[in-house]
């Protein structure tokens, strides 16, 4: 356990307002807009926001989350014994669905380990952008790697690509999302709000409300633009599939899946470049002197475990969130697995289904955005003033307010 003096120092660092003047904000009432570093942050520009949107369009999941699993399951189906439908995997003969679910579980287990080790980079120091870059490159490699995996005899290689691909997709999405709070809170709009608060024109609650609305607006617009962009990419994929003649033979369908994944990966690569160029450096919190980037994550988790029992509603929410998240991931995997079997892995049919689903998603979000009064703040949980729990939840990906 950290010495009390060090803990107090770490907490004090997190208790400063937007302009690092503790006399300007009554921290006894809690942190409303916590800063991640001392000093002035660069103002978020319009082009920086659009480059952030563009990365999300590219990182739409088509390559590694949608069609990667389809290609994997397709090769398993062709490689399995025609008599039993089984393959030898993880020590014994298993059916295709069992292999897919086991590989999926292994992927999530590895993700959990990685987030325990490097999760703190999302909030501390300057490593977040570099982790995003590294995992993006790994993901590009996996996506293009599918071009060499088109034969059922390579199903073991496909298993590796599937597992690493899921990890890469989740890692990139997580560290892309981690840029969001700092990006939103340094827009000109929220800079003006901070000045209004300092001059006494608005209350702390009004500033908090405006902060929530701005973050919700950026998040919803990003989701809408990503949906539109994904439909455009899928429409282009349909043309490519006709060019590959995926409906002529099983071999062509295998090739079509690999080409599709590579094309979606190429779109991701191209659309991510502006973000890597235009993102301004906004350092995260300083790591306490007695810790490093690996141990600070465990330190946060330890402090949270020691304090969460005093926050029973937050504990119930966390347990429910993890259970629902795990259920959702499993349900999506099972549905996709069954859907692939129903349509016999026909690439065009799967693409049409995705177009319908994503188009409906875009229409729904567009209708929501068409009414400004409908843009409500993100769900916010008020907890007691406990800095250790706050930073642990930030490390786990939550962005909550302290009371």
């Amino acid at each position: 356990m950290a010495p009390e003096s060090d803990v107090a120092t770490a907490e004090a660092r997190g208790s400063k307002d937007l302009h690092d003047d503790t006399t300007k904000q009554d921290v006894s009432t809690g942190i409303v807009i916590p800063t991640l570093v001392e000093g002035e942050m660069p103002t978020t520009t319009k082009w920086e926001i659009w480059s952030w949107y563009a990365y999300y369009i590219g990182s739409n999941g088509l390559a590694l989350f949608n069609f990667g699993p389809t290609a994997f399951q397709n090769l398993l189906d062709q490689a399995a014994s025609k008599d039993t439908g089984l393959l030898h995997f993880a020590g014994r003969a298993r059916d295709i669905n069992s292999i897919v679910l086991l590989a999926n579980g292994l992927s999530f287990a590895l993700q959990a380990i990685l987030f325990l080790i490097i999760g703190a980079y999302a909030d501390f120091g300057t490593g977040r952008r570099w982790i995003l870059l590294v995992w993006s490159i790994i993901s590009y490699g996996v996506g293009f790697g599918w071009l060499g995996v088109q034969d059922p005899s390579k199903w073991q290689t496909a298993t590796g690509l599937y597992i690493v691909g899921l990890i890469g997709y989740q890692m990139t999405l997580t560290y892309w999302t981690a840029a969001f709070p700092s990006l939103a809170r340094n827009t000109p709009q929220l800079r003006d709000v901070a000045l209004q608060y300092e001059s006494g024109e608005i209350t702390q609650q009004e500033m908090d409300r405006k902060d929530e609305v701005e973050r919700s607006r950026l998040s919803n617009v990003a989701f809408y633009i990503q949906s539109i962009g994904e439909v455009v990419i899928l429409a282009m994929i349909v043309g490519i599939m006709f060019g590959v003649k995926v409906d002529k033979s099983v071999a062509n369908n295998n090739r079509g899946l690999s080409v599709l994944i590579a094309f979606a990966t190429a779109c991701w690569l191209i659309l991510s470049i502006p973000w890597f160029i235009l993102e301004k450096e906004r350092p995260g919190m300083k790591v306490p002197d007695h810790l490093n980037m690996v141990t600070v994550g465990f330190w946060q988790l330890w402090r949270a475990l020691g304090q969460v029992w005093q926050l029973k509603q937050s504990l119930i929410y966390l347990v429910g969130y993890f259970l629902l998240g795990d259920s959702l991931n499993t349900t999506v995997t099972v549905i996709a697995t069954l859907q692939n079997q129903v349509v016999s892995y026909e690439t065009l049919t799967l693409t049409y289904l995705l177009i319908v689903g994503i188009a409906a998603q875009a229409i729904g979000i567009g209708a929501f955005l068409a009414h400004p009064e409908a843009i409500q703040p993100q769900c916010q949980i008020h907890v007691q003033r406990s800095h250790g729990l706050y930073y642990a939840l930030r490390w786990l990906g939550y962005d909550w307010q302290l009371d």
Side-chain angles (χ1 to χ4, degrees), residues 16-53:
K16 298 190 177 187
D17 71 355
L18 282 171
H19 297 279
D20 301 303
D21 186 349
T22 55
T23 63
K24 295 178 182 177
Q25 179 170 321
D26 181 10
V27 296
S28 65
T29 62
I31 301 173
V32 177
I33 306 180
T35 57
L36 301 182
V37 72
E38 297 180 4
E40 190 72 13
M41 290 279 197
T43 300
T44 302
T45 65
K46 177 182 69 174
W47 290 112
E48 190 178 11
I49 291 176
W50 275 98
S51 68
W52 185 72
Y53 291 158

Side-chain angles (χ1 to χ4, degrees), residues 75-76 78-80 87 148-158 254:
L75 294 181
L76 289 179
Q78 295 175 32
L87 280 171
V149 183
Q150 303 177 19
D151 189 89
S153 63
K154 297 182 178 180
W155 69 269
Q156 294 96 334
T157 304
N254 292 352

Side-chain angles (χ1 to χ4, degrees), residues 77 91 94 116 120 144 152 215 228 234 245 275 280 333 346:
D77 184 70
R94 303 176 186 273
L116 281 173
F144 291 125
R215 284 187 288 126
I228 296 296
L234 284 168
K245 299 179 180 179
W275 174 244
K280 294 183 175 65
T333 301
E346 293 180 3

Side-chain angles (χ1 to χ4, degrees), residues 38 40 81 245 247 308 327 339 348 359 370 374 383 389 395-396:
E38 297 180 4
E40 190 72 13
S81 170
K245 299 179 180 179
D247 55 345
V308 73
S327 300
Q339 177 179 273
L348 276 173
V383 296
L389 177 60
W395 174 63
L396 290 170

Side-chain angles (χ1 to χ4, degrees), residues 205-218:
Q205 288 71 25
E206 290 173 323
M207 179 176 68
D208 184 30
R209 171 71 176 183
K210 291 178 183 292
D211 171 66
E212 293 170 349
V213 170
E214 178 65 12
R215 284 187 288 126
S216 294
R217 184 187 68 82
L218 288 177

